[in-house]
Amino acid sequence: RMTPCLRLQEGGFEAYARNETKNVIMFDTTWGTNRYNMKLGFFTTVGLNGETLILAAVIAMHETRSSFQWAFERFKECFKIPPAVIITDGDSGIIGACASQLPHTLRFACTWHLSLNFTTHIRPVLAFNWQVWHAVLNAWWRLAKQTDVSAKATFDDDFQKIVDVVAALKPKGTDTRATAKHAAAIKWLEWLRSVKHTWAACFTWAICTLGVHSTQVCARGVHARPRPFAH
């Protein structure tokens, strides 16, 4: 029976201690890319020169809330002080584990993962309306990257324009499958709006994230770079 394991990166504790209570970390996992089909996750941060620093790695059999809770609990035991900000994807297990193990840490959503989910949920509804699709996607990215605090006042109206475009393409006729897909897309957009404080830059920009808004840059990039770990 394979048991979960967390290992510290050499120098990780010193790098984390340097920022005291203002640490920003990213957490991301891969699927089973080894003979045991275990999941590999990295806790990473940004170094003094903008480089990616691995703090610790975790290996677990399953991507479940209990597994992530175990990982975050071990992280707290090792690094003592919880991070100020953690950036993750939208996995419900990770979100639940953050809420229970890091209740005072701000969790921001990885915009790269959100863009993938946006494509998954919205593009099929727009079918072959390529121009509409690109316009909608660009409109969402503008909202995601708009850092001007004044954009808060118009955010809901701007987001509603995206919803209205998608809503206007509601299938006609009796195709229940297409109708259900369209309804699911609208529901997902409403959920995305409800968590705007975790991804829209006009809400997150005032919080120090060391310039990182995605796990793709830091956490995922290290999966292809083997590094020595301390025992």
Side-chain angles (χ1 to χ4, degrees), residues 4-38:
C5 172
L6 184 138
R7 303 188 68 178
L8 300 183
Q9 168 70 11
E10 184 176 353
F13 185 83
E14 291 77 8
Y16 191 84
R18 187 180 300 121
N19 290 328
E20 299 180 345
T21 62
K22 299 180 180 180
N23 277 288
V24 176
I25 66 172
M26 285 65 70
F27 179 76
D28 196 18
T29 60
T30 67
W31 282 85
T33 55
N34 52 73
R35 70 171 66 183
Y36 302 108
N37 199 38
M38 299 185 77

PDB file of all heavy atoms in Angstrom, residues 4-38:
ATOM      1  N   PRO A   4       1.033   8.517   1.209  1.00  0.00           N
ATOM      2  CA  PRO A   4       1.438   9.840   0.734  1.00  0.00           C
ATOM      3  C   PRO A   4       2.744  10.279   1.368  1.00  0.00           C
ATOM      4  O   PRO A   4       3.113   9.830   2.455  1.00  0.00           O
ATOM      5  CB  PRO A   4       0.271  10.733   1.144  1.00  0.00           C
ATOM      6  CG  PRO A   4      -0.381  10.019   2.278  1.00  0.00           C
ATOM      7  CD  PRO A   4      -0.212   8.556   1.982  1.00  0.00           C
ATOM      8  N   CYS A   5       3.440  11.153   0.688  1.00  0.00           N
ATOM      9  CA  CYS A   5       4.752  11.590   1.161  1.00  0.00           C
ATOM     10  C   CYS A   5       4.960  13.052   0.787  1.00  0.00           C
ATOM     11  O   CYS A   5       4.621  13.466  -0.322  1.00  0.00           O
ATOM     12  CB  CYS A   5       5.838  10.724   0.519  1.00  0.00           C
ATOM     13  SG  CYS A   5       7.532  11.271   0.832  1.00  0.00           S
ATOM     14  N   LEU A   6       5.490  13.832   1.711  1.00  0.00           N
ATOM     15  CA  LEU A   6       5.870  15.213   1.421  1.00  0.00           C
ATOM     16  C   LEU A   6       7.344  15.378   1.721  1.00  0.00           C
ATOM     17  O   LEU A   6       7.817  14.973   2.777  1.00  0.00           O
ATOM     18  CB  LEU A   6       5.053  16.203   2.255  1.00  0.00           C
ATOM     19  CG  LEU A   6       5.340  17.682   1.939  1.00  0.00           C
ATOM     20  CD1 LEU A   6       4.060  18.493   1.899  1.00  0.00           C
ATOM     21  CD2 LEU A   6       6.314  18.299   2.945  1.00  0.00           C
ATOM     22  N   ARG A   7       8.076  15.954   0.766  1.00  0.00           N
ATOM     23  CA  ARG A   7       9.513  16.144   0.942  1.00  0.00           C
ATOM     24  C   ARG A   7       9.870  17.594   0.673  1.00  0.00           C
ATOM     25  O   ARG A   7       9.338  18.229  -0.241  1.00  0.00           O
ATOM     26  CB  ARG A   7      10.290  15.220   0.007  1.00  0.00           C
ATOM     27  CG  ARG A   7       9.937  13.757   0.192  1.00  0.00           C
ATOM     28  CD  ARG A   7      10.837  12.850  -0.586  1.00  0.00           C
ATOM     29  NE  ARG A   7      12.199  12.862  -0.058  1.00  0.00           N
ATOM     30  CZ  ARG A   7      13.175  12.109  -0.556  1.00  0.00           C
ATOM     31  NH1 ARG A   7      12.934  11.294  -1.572  1.00  0.00           N
ATOM     32  NH2 ARG A   7      14.382  12.158  -0.035  1.00  0.00           N
ATOM     33  N   LEU A   8      10.790  18.102   1.474  1.00  0.00           N
ATOM     34  CA  LEU A   8      11.207  19.491   1.351  1.00  0.00           C
ATOM     35  C   LEU A   8      12.307  19.633   0.316  1.00  0.00           C
ATOM     36  O   LEU A   8      13.186  18.786   0.197  1.00  0.00           O
ATOM     37  CB  LEU A   8      11.716  20.013   2.689  1.00  0.00           C
ATOM     38  CG  LEU A   8      10.755  19.996   3.881  1.00  0.00           C
ATOM     39  CD1 LEU A   8      11.428  20.630   5.071  1.00  0.00           C
ATOM     40  CD2 LEU A   8       9.469  20.713   3.543  1.00  0.00           C
ATOM     41  N   GLN A   9      12.262  20.740  -0.415  1.00  0.00           N
ATOM     42  CA  GLN A   9      13.336  21.085  -1.328  1.00  0.00           C
ATOM     43  C   GLN A   9      14.487  21.679  -0.530  1.00  0.00           C
ATOM     44  O   GLN A   9      14.264  22.463   0.418  1.00  0.00           O
ATOM     45  CB  GLN A   9      12.845  22.093  -2.359  1.00  0.00           C
ATOM     46  CG  GLN A   9      13.942  22.747  -3.195  1.00  0.00           C
ATOM     47  CD  GLN A   9      14.574  21.780  -4.171  1.00  0.00           C
ATOM     48  OE1 GLN A   9      14.060  20.683  -4.361  1.00  0.00           O
ATOM     49  NE2 GLN A   9      15.678  22.171  -4.780  1.00  0.00           N
ATOM     50  N   GLU A  10      15.692  21.318  -0.863  1.00  0.00           N
ATOM     51  CA  GLU A  10      16.856  21.881  -0.183  1.00  0.00           C
ATOM     52  C   GLU A  10      16.856  23.406  -0.329  1.00  0.00           C
ATOM     53  O   GLU A  10      16.764  23.934  -1.440  1.00  0.00           O
ATOM     54  CB  GLU A  10      18.136  21.310  -0.784  1.00  0.00           C
ATOM     55  CG  GLU A  10      19.409  21.764  -0.077  1.00  0.00           C
ATOM     56  CD  GLU A  10      20.641  21.092  -0.641  1.00  0.00           C
ATOM     57  OE1 GLU A  10      20.487  20.189  -1.484  1.00  0.00           O
ATOM     58  OE2 GLU A  10      21.742  21.492  -0.238  1.00  0.00           O
ATOM     59  N   GLY A  11      16.908  24.103   0.770  1.00  0.00           N
ATOM     60  CA  GLY A  11      16.886  25.558   0.760  1.00  0.00           C
ATOM     61  C   GLY A  11      15.488  26.154   0.764  1.00  0.00           C
ATOM     62  O   GLY A  11      15.331  27.374   0.841  1.00  0.00           O
ATOM     63  N   GLY A  12      14.463  25.289   0.688  1.00  0.00           N
ATOM     64  CA  GLY A  12      13.093  25.772   0.631  1.00  0.00           C
ATOM     65  C   GLY A  12      12.666  26.499   1.894  1.00  0.00           C
ATOM     66  O   GLY A  12      12.005  27.533   1.828  1.00  0.00           O
ATOM     67  N   PHE A  13      13.048  25.954   3.043  1.00  0.00           N
ATOM     68  CA  PHE A  13      12.650  26.576   4.312  1.00  0.00           C
ATOM     69  C   PHE A  13      13.259  27.958   4.452  1.00  0.00           C
ATOM     70  O   PHE A  13      12.590  28.905   4.882  1.00  0.00           O
ATOM     71  CB  PHE A  13      13.067  25.691   5.481  1.00  0.00           C
ATOM     72  CG  PHE A  13      12.590  26.204   6.809  1.00  0.00           C
ATOM     73  CD1 PHE A  13      11.301  25.940   7.245  1.00  0.00           C
ATOM     74  CD2 PHE A  13      13.417  26.971   7.618  1.00  0.00           C
ATOM     75  CE1 PHE A  13      10.849  26.429   8.457  1.00  0.00           C
ATOM     76  CE2 PHE A  13      12.979  27.452   8.836  1.00  0.00           C
ATOM     77  CZ  PHE A  13      11.682  27.179   9.253  1.00  0.00           C
ATOM     78  N   GLU A  14      14.514  28.095   4.064  1.00  0.00           N
ATOM     79  CA  GLU A  14      15.182  29.395   4.162  1.00  0.00           C
ATOM     80  C   GLU A  14      14.530  30.419   3.232  1.00  0.00           C
ATOM     81  O   GLU A  14      14.344  31.582   3.592  1.00  0.00           O
ATOM     82  CB  GLU A  14      16.668  29.256   3.825  1.00  0.00           C
ATOM     83  CG  GLU A  14      17.482  28.493   4.850  1.00  0.00           C
ATOM     84  CD  GLU A  14      17.289  26.983   4.758  1.00  0.00           C
ATOM     85  OE1 GLU A  14      16.634  26.524   3.797  1.00  0.00           O
ATOM     86  OE2 GLU A  14      17.789  26.277   5.654  1.00  0.00           O
ATOM     87  N   ALA A  15      14.170  29.975   2.024  1.00  0.00           N
ATOM     88  CA  ALA A  15      13.532  30.878   1.067  1.00  0.00           C
ATOM     89  C   ALA A  15      12.170  31.322   1.578  1.00  0.00           C
ATOM     90  O   ALA A  15      11.788  32.491   1.440  1.00  0.00           O
ATOM     91  CB  ALA A  15      13.391  30.183  -0.289  1.00  0.00           C
ATOM     92  N   TYR A  16      11.446  30.401   2.198  1.00  0.00           N
ATOM     93  CA  TYR A  16      10.119  30.719   2.726  1.00  0.00           C
ATOM     94  C   TYR A  16      10.230  31.663   3.920  1.00  0.00           C
ATOM     95  O   TYR A  16       9.445  32.602   4.054  1.00  0.00           O
ATOM     96  CB  TYR A  16       9.420  29.423   3.134  1.00  0.00           C
ATOM     97  CG  TYR A  16       7.951  29.584   3.460  1.00  0.00           C
ATOM     98  CD1 TYR A  16       6.992  29.565   2.453  1.00  0.00           C
ATOM     99  CD2 TYR A  16       7.525  29.742   4.768  1.00  0.00           C
ATOM    100  CE1 TYR A  16       5.647  29.699   2.748  1.00  0.00           C
ATOM    101  CE2 TYR A  16       6.177  29.875   5.077  1.00  0.00           C
ATOM    102  CZ  TYR A  16       5.245  29.851   4.062  1.00  0.00           C
ATOM    103  OH  TYR A  16       3.913  29.989   4.368  1.00  0.00           O
ATOM    104  N   ALA A  17      11.193  31.419   4.777  1.00  0.00           N
ATOM    105  CA  ALA A  17      11.356  32.231   5.986  1.00  0.00           C
ATOM    106  C   ALA A  17      11.720  33.666   5.647  1.00  0.00           C
ATOM    107  O   ALA A  17      11.428  34.586   6.420  1.00  0.00           O
ATOM    108  CB  ALA A  17      12.434  31.615   6.877  1.00  0.00           C
ATOM    109  N   ARG A  18      12.322  33.881   4.493  1.00  0.00           N
ATOM    110  CA  ARG A  18      12.769  35.218   4.105  1.00  0.00           C
ATOM    111  C   ARG A  18      11.596  36.200   4.025  1.00  0.00           C
ATOM    112  O   ARG A  18      11.739  37.383   4.320  1.00  0.00           O
ATOM    113  CB  ARG A  18      13.481  35.141   2.748  1.00  0.00           C
ATOM    114  CG  ARG A  18      14.151  36.437   2.314  1.00  0.00           C
ATOM    115  CD  ARG A  18      14.825  36.272   0.960  1.00  0.00           C
ATOM    116  NE  ARG A  18      15.843  35.238   1.011  1.00  0.00           N
ATOM    117  CZ  ARG A  18      15.830  34.144   0.243  1.00  0.00           C
ATOM    118  NH1 ARG A  18      14.845  33.939  -0.608  1.00  0.00           N
ATOM    119  NH2 ARG A  18      16.793  33.246   0.336  1.00  0.00           N
ATOM    120  N   ASN A  19      10.426  35.707   3.620  1.00  0.00           N
ATOM    121  CA  ASN A  19       9.259  36.593   3.461  1.00  0.00           C
ATOM    122  C   ASN A  19       8.357  36.613   4.681  1.00  0.00           C
ATOM    123  O   ASN A  19       7.292  37.248   4.652  1.00  0.00           O
ATOM    124  CB  ASN A  19       8.446  36.169   2.229  1.00  0.00           C
ATOM    125  CG  ASN A  19       9.165  36.476   0.936  1.00  0.00           C
ATOM    126  OD1 ASN A  19       9.907  37.444   0.838  1.00  0.00           O
ATOM    127  ND2 ASN A  19       8.963  35.641  -0.059  1.00  0.00           N
ATOM    128  N   GLU A  20       8.728  35.905   5.707  1.00  0.00           N
ATOM    129  CA  GLU A  20       7.995  35.884   6.975  1.00  0.00           C
ATOM    130  C   GLU A  20       6.500  35.611   6.750  1.00  0.00           C
ATOM    131  O   GLU A  20       6.136  34.517   6.341  1.00  0.00           O
ATOM    132  CB  GLU A  20       8.233  37.209   7.726  1.00  0.00           C
ATOM    133  CG  GLU A  20       9.698  37.434   8.061  1.00  0.00           C
ATOM    134  CD  GLU A  20       9.948  38.732   8.785  1.00  0.00           C
ATOM    135  OE1 GLU A  20       9.044  39.587   8.789  1.00  0.00           O
ATOM    136  OE2 GLU A  20      11.047  38.890   9.353  1.00  0.00           O
ATOM    137  N   THR A  21       5.645  36.591   7.007  1.00  0.00           N
ATOM    138  CA  THR A  21       4.193  36.345   6.917  1.00  0.00           C
ATOM    139  C   THR A  21       3.609  36.738   5.563  1.00  0.00           C
ATOM    140  O   THR A  21       2.390  36.713   5.386  1.00  0.00           O
ATOM    141  CB  THR A  21       3.452  37.140   8.008  1.00  0.00           C
ATOM    142  OG1 THR A  21       3.664  38.540   7.793  1.00  0.00           O
ATOM    143  CG2 THR A  21       3.930  36.747   9.393  1.00  0.00           C
ATOM    144  N   LYS A  22       4.451  37.106   4.614  1.00  0.00           N
ATOM    145  CA  LYS A  22       3.958  37.621   3.332  1.00  0.00           C
ATOM    146  C   LYS A  22       4.243  36.679   2.165  1.00  0.00           C
ATOM    147  O   LYS A  22       4.374  37.118   1.020  1.00  0.00           O
ATOM    148  CB  LYS A  22       4.579  38.994   3.060  1.00  0.00           C
ATOM    149  CG  LYS A  22       4.226  40.039   4.116  1.00  0.00           C
ATOM    150  CD  LYS A  22       4.860  41.367   3.809  1.00  0.00           C
ATOM    151  CE  LYS A  22       4.501  42.402   4.887  1.00  0.00           C
ATOM    152  NZ  LYS A  22       5.120  43.714   4.593  1.00  0.00           N
ATOM    153  N   ASN A  23       4.293  35.392   2.442  1.00  0.00           N
ATOM    154  CA  ASN A  23       4.611  34.440   1.388  1.00  0.00           C
ATOM    155  C   ASN A  23       3.447  34.243   0.417  1.00  0.00           C
ATOM    156  O   ASN A  23       2.279  34.237   0.808  1.00  0.00           O
ATOM    157  CB  ASN A  23       5.004  33.097   1.993  1.00  0.00           C
ATOM    158  CG  ASN A  23       6.446  33.062   2.410  1.00  0.00           C
ATOM    159  OD1 ASN A  23       7.349  33.028   1.574  1.00  0.00           O
ATOM    160  ND2 ASN A  23       6.686  33.109   3.718  1.00  0.00           N
ATOM    161  N   VAL A  24       3.810  34.073  -0.840  1.00  0.00           N
ATOM    162  CA  VAL A  24       2.860  33.729  -1.895  1.00  0.00           C
ATOM    163  C   VAL A  24       3.317  32.401  -2.487  1.00  0.00           C
ATOM    164  O   VAL A  24       4.474  32.267  -2.900  1.00  0.00           O
ATOM    165  CB  VAL A  24       2.840  34.807  -3.006  1.00  0.00           C
ATOM    166  CG1 VAL A  24       1.909  34.382  -4.135  1.00  0.00           C
ATOM    167  CG2 VAL A  24       2.420  36.146  -2.434  1.00  0.00           C
ATOM    168  N   ILE A  25       2.431  31.415  -2.483  1.00  0.00           N
ATOM    169  CA  ILE A  25       2.819  30.115  -3.007  1.00  0.00           C
ATOM    170  C   ILE A  25       1.827  29.668  -4.084  1.00  0.00           C
ATOM    171  O   ILE A  25       0.679  30.113  -4.132  1.00  0.00           O
ATOM    172  CB  ILE A  25       2.913  29.032  -1.912  1.00  0.00           C
ATOM    173  CG1 ILE A  25       1.535  28.741  -1.306  1.00  0.00           C
ATOM    174  CG2 ILE A  25       3.914  29.442  -0.844  1.00  0.00           C
ATOM    175  CD1 ILE A  25       1.558  27.534  -0.367  1.00  0.00           C
ATOM    176  N   MET A  26       2.305  28.801  -4.960  1.00  0.00           N
ATOM    177  CA  MET A  26       1.468  28.148  -5.950  1.00  0.00           C
ATOM    178  C   MET A  26       1.446  26.655  -5.648  1.00  0.00           C
ATOM    179  O   MET A  26       2.449  26.097  -5.186  1.00  0.00           O
ATOM    180  CB  MET A  26       2.013  28.374  -7.357  1.00  0.00           C
ATOM    181  CG  MET A  26       1.775  29.766  -7.926  1.00  0.00           C
ATOM    182  SD  MET A  26       2.649  31.083  -7.037  1.00  0.00           S
ATOM    183  CE  MET A  26       4.345  30.765  -7.469  1.00  0.00           C
ATOM    184  N   PHE A  27       0.317  26.026  -5.901  1.00  0.00           N
ATOM    185  CA  PHE A  27       0.228  24.579  -5.711  1.00  0.00           C
ATOM    186  C   PHE A  27      -0.475  23.977  -6.909  1.00  0.00           C
ATOM    187  O   PHE A  27      -1.561  24.416  -7.296  1.00  0.00           O
ATOM    188  CB  PHE A  27      -0.529  24.223  -4.437  1.00  0.00           C
ATOM    189  CG  PHE A  27      -0.653  22.727  -4.227  1.00  0.00           C
ATOM    190  CD1 PHE A  27       0.445  21.994  -3.788  1.00  0.00           C
ATOM    191  CD2 PHE A  27      -1.841  22.064  -4.481  1.00  0.00           C
ATOM    192  CE1 PHE A  27       0.350  20.622  -3.611  1.00  0.00           C
ATOM    193  CE2 PHE A  27      -1.952  20.691  -4.304  1.00  0.00           C
ATOM    194  CZ  PHE A  27      -0.851  19.970  -3.860  1.00  0.00           C
ATOM    195  N   ASP A  28       0.161  22.967  -7.506  1.00  0.00           N
ATOM    196  CA  ASP A  28      -0.422  22.315  -8.667  1.00  0.00           C
ATOM    197  C   ASP A  28       0.034  20.862  -8.690  1.00  0.00           C
ATOM    198  O   ASP A  28       1.106  20.521  -8.169  1.00  0.00           O
ATOM    199  CB  ASP A  28       0.009  23.023  -9.953  1.00  0.00           C
ATOM    200  CG  ASP A  28      -0.860  22.637 -11.133  1.00  0.00           C
ATOM    201  OD1 ASP A  28      -1.966  22.106 -10.917  1.00  0.00           O
ATOM    202  OD2 ASP A  28      -0.431  22.858 -12.280  1.00  0.00           O
ATOM    203  N   THR A  29      -0.771  20.014  -9.291  1.00  0.00           N
ATOM    204  CA  THR A  29      -0.443  18.586  -9.359  1.00  0.00           C
ATOM    205  C   THR A  29      -0.509  18.083 -10.793  1.00  0.00           C
ATOM    206  O   THR A  29      -1.164  18.691 -11.651  1.00  0.00           O
ATOM    207  CB  THR A  29      -1.425  17.743  -8.519  1.00  0.00           C
ATOM    208  OG1 THR A  29      -2.755  17.923  -9.023  1.00  0.00           O
ATOM    209  CG2 THR A  29      -1.374  18.142  -7.059  1.00  0.00           C
ATOM    210  N   THR A  30       0.177  16.972 -11.034  1.00  0.00           N
ATOM    211  CA  THR A  30       0.064  16.272 -12.309  1.00  0.00           C
ATOM    212  C   THR A  30      -0.793  15.033 -12.105  1.00  0.00           C
ATOM    213  O   THR A  30      -1.051  14.606 -10.971  1.00  0.00           O
ATOM    214  CB  THR A  30       1.432  15.811 -12.831  1.00  0.00           C
ATOM    215  OG1 THR A  30       1.948  14.803 -11.952  1.00  0.00           O
ATOM    216  CG2 THR A  30       2.404  16.964 -12.911  1.00  0.00           C
ATOM    217  N   TRP A  31      -1.196  14.425 -13.216  1.00  0.00           N
ATOM    218  CA  TRP A  31      -1.829  13.117 -13.132  1.00  0.00           C
ATOM    219  C   TRP A  31      -0.742  12.076 -12.946  1.00  0.00           C
ATOM    220  O   TRP A  31       0.450  12.393 -12.912  1.00  0.00           O
ATOM    221  CB  TRP A  31      -2.658  12.851 -14.386  1.00  0.00           C
ATOM    222  CG  TRP A  31      -3.964  13.571 -14.347  1.00  0.00           C
ATOM    223  CD1 TRP A  31      -4.195  14.881 -14.730  1.00  0.00           C
ATOM    224  CD2 TRP A  31      -5.193  13.072 -13.857  1.00  0.00           C
ATOM    225  NE1 TRP A  31      -5.492  15.214 -14.516  1.00  0.00           N
ATOM    226  CE2 TRP A  31      -6.144  14.120 -13.979  1.00  0.00           C
ATOM    227  CE3 TRP A  31      -5.610  11.856 -13.335  1.00  0.00           C
ATOM    228  CZ2 TRP A  31      -7.476  13.974 -13.598  1.00  0.00           C
ATOM    229  CZ3 TRP A  31      -6.934  11.719 -12.963  1.00  0.00           C
ATOM    230  CH2 TRP A  31      -7.839  12.766 -13.085  1.00  0.00           C
ATOM    231  N   GLY A  32      -1.166  10.786 -12.861  1.00  0.00           N
ATOM    232  CA  GLY A  32      -0.198   9.723 -12.611  1.00  0.00           C
ATOM    233  C   GLY A  32       0.746   9.540 -13.782  1.00  0.00           C
ATOM    234  O   GLY A  32       0.397   8.942 -14.791  1.00  0.00           O
ATOM    235  N   THR A  33       1.936  10.082 -13.646  1.00  0.00           N
ATOM    236  CA  THR A  33       2.918   9.975 -14.727  1.00  0.00           C
ATOM    237  C   THR A  33       4.064   9.048 -14.340  1.00  0.00           C
ATOM    238  O   THR A  33       5.160   9.158 -14.873  1.00  0.00           O
ATOM    239  CB  THR A  33       3.477  11.372 -15.076  1.00  0.00           C
ATOM    240  OG1 THR A  33       4.002  11.963 -13.884  1.00  0.00           O
ATOM    241  CG2 THR A  33       2.392  12.266 -15.639  1.00  0.00           C
ATOM    242  N   ASN A  34       3.809   8.138 -13.413  1.00  0.00           N
ATOM    243  CA  ASN A  34       4.830   7.192 -12.994  1.00  0.00           C
ATOM    244  C   ASN A  34       4.228   5.794 -12.935  1.00  0.00           C
ATOM    245  O   ASN A  34       3.014   5.618 -13.091  1.00  0.00           O
ATOM    246  CB  ASN A  34       5.402   7.600 -11.626  1.00  0.00           C
ATOM    247  CG  ASN A  34       4.286   7.819 -10.605  1.00  0.00           C
ATOM    248  OD1 ASN A  34       3.674   6.861 -10.129  1.00  0.00           O
ATOM    249  ND2 ASN A  34       4.009   9.076 -10.283  1.00  0.00           N
ATOM    250  N   ARG A  35       5.044   4.818 -12.710  1.00  0.00           N
ATOM    251  CA  ARG A  35       4.587   3.428 -12.760  1.00  0.00           C
ATOM    252  C   ARG A  35       3.536   3.097 -11.707  1.00  0.00           C
ATOM    253  O   ARG A  35       2.764   2.149 -11.870  1.00  0.00           O
ATOM    254  CB  ARG A  35       5.779   2.484 -12.593  1.00  0.00           C
ATOM    255  CG  ARG A  35       6.390   2.489 -11.201  1.00  0.00           C
ATOM    256  CD  ARG A  35       7.407   1.375 -11.043  1.00  0.00           C
ATOM    257  NE  ARG A  35       8.559   1.594 -11.900  1.00  0.00           N
ATOM    258  CZ  ARG A  35       9.580   0.724 -11.987  1.00  0.00           C
ATOM    259  NH1 ARG A  35       9.553  -0.390 -11.273  1.00  0.00           N
ATOM    260  NH2 ARG A  35      10.604   0.980 -12.765  1.00  0.00           N
ATOM    261  N   TYR A  36       3.487   3.877 -10.634  1.00  0.00           N
ATOM    262  CA  TYR A  36       2.519   3.622  -9.575  1.00  0.00           C
ATOM    263  C   TYR A  36       1.242   4.452  -9.734  1.00  0.00           C
ATOM    264  O   TYR A  36       0.352   4.390  -8.903  1.00  0.00           O
ATOM    265  CB  TYR A  36       3.147   3.900  -8.213  1.00  0.00           C
ATOM    266  CG  TYR A  36       4.385   3.075  -7.956  1.00  0.00           C
ATOM    267  CD1 TYR A  36       5.649   3.669  -7.958  1.00  0.00           C
ATOM    268  CD2 TYR A  36       4.300   1.688  -7.741  1.00  0.00           C
ATOM    269  CE1 TYR A  36       6.793   2.914  -7.734  1.00  0.00           C
ATOM    270  CE2 TYR A  36       5.447   0.935  -7.526  1.00  0.00           C
ATOM    271  CZ  TYR A  36       6.678   1.552  -7.526  1.00  0.00           C
ATOM    272  OH  TYR A  36       7.809   0.805  -7.308  1.00  0.00           O
ATOM    273  N   ASN A  37       1.192   5.254 -10.811  1.00  0.00           N
ATOM    274  CA  ASN A  37       0.027   6.095 -11.089  1.00  0.00           C
ATOM    275  C   ASN A  37      -0.264   7.063  -9.951  1.00  0.00           C
ATOM    276  O   ASN A  37      -1.410   7.423  -9.691  1.00  0.00           O
ATOM    277  CB  ASN A  37      -1.217   5.238 -11.365  1.00  0.00           C
ATOM    278  CG  ASN A  37      -2.298   6.017 -12.098  1.00  0.00           C
ATOM    279  OD1 ASN A  37      -1.988   6.837 -12.971  1.00  0.00           O
ATOM    280  ND2 ASN A  37      -3.549   5.772 -11.756  1.00  0.00           N
ATOM    281  N   MET A  38       0.776   7.496  -9.261  1.00  0.00           N
ATOM    282  CA  MET A  38       0.612   8.445  -8.160  1.00  0.00           C
ATOM    283  C   MET A  38       0.649   9.870  -8.698  1.00  0.00           C
ATOM    284  O   MET A  38       1.120  10.125  -9.802  1.00  0.00           O
ATOM    285  CB  MET A  38       1.696   8.227  -7.107  1.00  0.00           C
ATOM    286  CG  MET A  38       1.658   6.848  -6.481  1.00  0.00           C
ATOM    287  SD  MET A  38       2.846   6.647  -5.130  1.00  0.00           S
ATOM    288  CE  MET A  38       2.006   7.514  -3.803  1.00  0.00           C
TER     289      MET A  38
END
